[in-house]
Amino acid sequence: MGATSLSVKSYCLSKRGAEETYPFGPEPLVCKVGGKMFALLSDNSVSLKCDPAIALNLREQHEAVKPGYHLNKKHWNTVEFHSSLTEGELWDMIDHSYTLVVKSLTKAQRAAVEA
């Protein structure tokens, strides 16, 4: 069974230092770490940061993975929940997004997240 917006929200917010924000109004939910977005969550999809080469590969392998909706299409994928993707595959994509963002933080920001 595929993921739901609630399970994705719970998983994203379980990441160390993750925070729930609504910078664009009541929707979408934006999950940030160190003040930087790693997931943008709507009712039926999640947009995630991704290494450009991996992003293209995921789009080729999975019909549910599309270029980031209203985001930099080189660095972001939008993943539909109701698809053939398993929760594990989606969790891996969330982990990748989170890791990329944490790596982009300053040393002081990373230390604060890891504390």
Side-chain angles (χ1 to χ4, degrees):
M1 172 155 182
T4 64
S5 62
L6 187 59
S7 65
V8 171
K9 175 183 173 181
S10 296
Y11 188 76
C12 287
L13 294 176
S14 74
K15 308 302 271 172
R16 183 183 298 264
E19 60 181 336
E20 178 176 345
T21 67
Y22 295 89
F24 308 115
E27 288 194 2
L29 160 65
V30 175
C31 295
K32 293 182 177 183
V33 60
K36 292 189 173 188
M37 179 170 77
F38 71 92
L40 189 141
L41 198 62
S42 71
D43 287 338
N44 56 9
S45 67
V46 62
S47 294
L48 301 165
K49 193 164 183 82
C50 193
D51 174 90
I54 295 172
L56 290 173
N57 190 310
L58 288 169
R59 292 174 201 163
E60 290 172 1
Q61 290 179 20
H62 303 285
E63 189 177 316
V65 180
K66 312 249 188 272
Y69 182 70
H70 287 302
L71 296 162
N72 181 323
K73 299 190 182 342
K74 181 178 178 182
H75 295 278
W76 290 85
N77 279 336
T78 296
V79 184
E80 297 168 351
F81 295 145
H82 303 291
S83 69
S84 60
L85 287 174
T86 66
E87 273 193 347
E89 289 170 317
L90 185 53
W91 291 177
D92 288 346
M93 291 180 207
I94 292 168
D95 292 345
H96 177 68
S97 179
Y98 175 85
T99 300
L100 283 175
V101 172
V102 169
K103 283 182 180 178
S104 76
L105 299 175
T106 65
K107 189 174 182 179
Q109 288 171 317
R110 279 195 309 275
V113 167
E114 295 164 0

